[in-house]
Amino acid sequence: MQKVTEALAEWVPPTRLTYDQSLYPHRYAILFLTGAGRSVVPQAIRYRIDREVMAKPNAKGEQRKKKHPADFMARLMLNVWLEETGKDEDAVYRALADKYLEAHGIVRP
């Protein structure tokens, strides 16, 4: 078995994140909302959606014990927020994606 010091000597740090056109804007926006940008969505909406989802019974008709994946919850919260504010969905996704790119130092070509 390899020693820890040998493994650390061979380890190469990951390269800087690169821009991927296929992820822009929707995936980058969701990544922003599931990370540091979670606080962007108003707290009242976050709590209300969380309570609504947890109150719905699961497929067996029982009380839900586990939360949905963070990506699903972020998209659900963002959709409700967009409905309430009447903002343009495409513009909001682009703004969130741009903020994610800025926060991670990813340069968009």
Side-chain angles (χ1 to χ4, degrees), residues 19-63:
Y19 178 76
D20 185 354
Q21 178 63 36
S22 66
L23 300 178
Y24 187 84
H26 292 88
R27 186 66 191 146
Y28 283 136
I30 296 303
L31 287 171
F32 179 70
L33 287 176
T34 57
R38 182 170 171 85
S39 61
V40 171
V41 177
Q43 188 175 16
I45 291 176
R46 287 197 320 257
Y47 288 142
R48 187 177 76 224
I49 297 302
D50 193 42
R51 283 193 310 267
E52 286 176 9
V53 167
M54 292 305 286
K56 290 180 184 176
N58 62 15
K60 296 179 184 176
E62 301 169 350
Q63 175 69 35

Side-chain angles (χ1 to χ4, degrees), residues 10 15 59 76:
E10 294 173 5
T15 59
L76 191 62

